Structures are given as structure tokens and as C-alpha cells.
Amino acid sequence: MRAREPGGATRVGGDVGELVVLWVGFPLLGAAVGGLLPLVADWVAGLPWAPVQGWFELVAGLPYRRALAGGVTLGVLAGLFVAHVGTRERLIVTVDRGGVRWRRDGVDRELPRRTVTAVFVDGRELVLLGPAGAELARERSDLSRRRLRDAFDGHGWPWRDADPHRDAYRRWVAGLPDLPPGADPLLRARQRAVDADRGRDVRELRAELARIGVVVRDEDGRQYWRPVPRPDGQAPPQA
């Protein structure tokens, strides 16, 4: 959803339809799946390769009505848990002429307009760049590119249709000689985190790399990097 807020700000995300899907659709789906549990428990318990067979045997041994009630209850609870996680993980962006604010996982962050030199969407990530091409924010989202563009462009932000520094990226290969000191082990650790889908480690290691003057982006499980001035104002040192 793209909506005007009091004071002229524009909010993208957090629409009612999405909340209905999360808090009504997922619990109903969970209830439906849970309601099937008593019907398949005996069959699954007889499969020699099936996991947690003891649990299915327990369900199969219950009276049908008790098993049905238990399955539906568990399904609804599972659906509510998914809705809770999905609600917290949604990205909500609010833009005005003075700054941008975004919320995810119950945490609010913001940047003033004067610090941002480019805004664009890279794949499924919203990216904001600062002076000299340093990344100020990179947030994964399912928000509409068009709605984000309209929100930022409508408030005079420097929207770009693509990454203005895309041609500066080089693919990371272990042991590259021209990486700043300390970057290679961080990129090795981050590659392992990417391969294992450890999102929190991926984000934290991205921030560590930014501190030593390296911007990194991912494409098909591979890392690409480019040098930028360090936050302390120094140029990235060369090995």
C-alpha cells in the first residue's frame, strides 16, 4: 500500500489486505491442514521412512474427535505463529522531503534526505547510497518497485532505475590480492553464511565489510564487491 500520512509523508507497505492474508488466511490454512491429520496419521505411521512415527502413532490411537480438535488447534496456532513472524518481518517505508524511515522486526531506522545520493531497487532489495557510493541501507522486501519509485520520486529523492555503480563490482574469489586488509576472511565467512542461509550473519558481516571500505552484493549465491571510502574518511587501503 502507498498512502499519504499526516504531514505529507508517503508510506509504502503494511496494507490491510496483507494483514488479512497473514492473520486470517494462514490460521485457516493451518486449521485445514491440521484437520487432515487424523485422516492420514495411521497411514503415515505405517511408513518405515516417515519421521516422528511415534507421534503419528499417538495421534492414530486417539478417538477421532479428540484427534481432530487437537489437529485443528495445532494448525491454527502454527498459522498464528507464521502470521506473527510475517508481520514483524514486513518492511514498511515512510518517505517525506526531510527523510526516510523504515520498520522491520519491531525496529525503526531512519536517514535524513541530505545524506542520500541515490535510491534504487536491486533485485528484491531497497538500497540507499551516500556520498562516494557508500551503502547506507540495503533492505530485502517484496514491496512494489513502482510504488517505491513513486514515493521517493514524489518527494524529490534521487531515484535511480538501476545501481549507478553496478559496473564497478567485481566477483569475489578467495585470495584476491587487491582486497583491503581483513576483507578476505570476512568475505569467506560471509560466503559460508550465504550458503547456509544464515541471514543475520550475512547482514552483520556486510556491516563489518562496510567499515573497512567494501560494499558487497549477492547474485545467485555469489558475492560481488567494490571499494568505497571508509566511514572514517580514509580511502580503502590496498593489500
Side-chain angles (χ1 to χ4, degrees):
M1 178 180 68
R2 176 175 174 264
R4 284 280 179 176
E5 293 195 336
T10 303
R11 186 179 68 175
V12 183
D15 61 297
V16 174
E18 183 180 319
L19 291 174
V20 169
V21 170
L22 286 170
W23 290 99
V24 177
F26 279 105
L28 287 177
L29 178 61
V33 173
L36 294 174
L37 184 60
L39 301 177
V40 301
D42 189 56
W43 173 69
V44 174
L47 298 175
W49 49 265
V52 293
Q53 279 185 306
W55 192 81
F56 283 101
E57 289 173 357
L58 176 63
V59 174
L62 292 173
Y64 176 75
R65 289 187 178 181
R66 287 183 60 188
L68 178 63
V72 169
T73 300
L74 287 174
V76 169
L77 292 175
L80 290 173
F81 176 75
V82 171
H84 170 71
V85 172
T87 299
R88 287 183 59 87
E89 290 185 349
R90 291 181 312 156
L91 180 66
I92 300 176
V93 180
T94 304
V95 190
D96 60 28
R97 289 194 174 274
V100 58
R101 298 173 296 281
W102 65 96
R103 182 178 182 85
R104 163 171 281 151
D105 292 336
V107 178
D108 291 309
R109 298 179 177 87
E110 62 181 312
L111 285 171
R113 166 66 183 84
R114 65 180 182 276
T115 64
V116 178
T117 60
V119 186
F120 59 94
V121 172
D122 182 19
R124 295 177 60 189
E125 297 176 317
L126 174 65
V127 183
L128 291 91
L129 300 183
E135 268 189 11
L136 303 178
R138 179 181 283 267
E139 292 288 338
R140 188 171 183 84
S141 83
D142 294 317
L143 297 176
S144 163
R145 178 191 295 259
R146 177 182 60 80
R147 291 177 176 174
L148 287 168
R149 180 198 64 206
D150 290 348
F152 282 98
D153 199 45
H155 288 286
W157 287 66
W159 179 267
R160 303 288 182 262
D161 290 330
D163 186 347
H165 300 281
R166 188 175 182 90
D167 291 341
Y169 283 93
R170 290 170 282 174
R171 183 175 175 182
W172 171 74
V173 178
L176 279 175
D178 51 352
L179 280 166
D184 193 63
L186 288 173
L187 285 163
R188 289 174 188 263
R190 191 174 182 278
Q191 185 65 60
R192 291 193 295 269
V194 169
D195 293 340
D197 198 24
R198 299 197 306 270
R200 183 174 180 178
D201 288 342
V202 169
R203 291 190 297 272
E204 290 179 353
L205 288 164
R206 180 193 297 278
E208 290 295 325
L209 286 160
R211 292 189 184 99
I212 60 174
V214 173
V215 172
V216 61
R217 63 184 299 273
D218 302 303
E219 187 173 327
D220 297 328
R222 298 185 292 269
Q223 297 185 109
Y224 293 81
W225 72 280
R226 62 179 174 87
V228 294
R230 292 181 355 191
D232 57 13
Q234 299 181 26
Q238 299 297 313

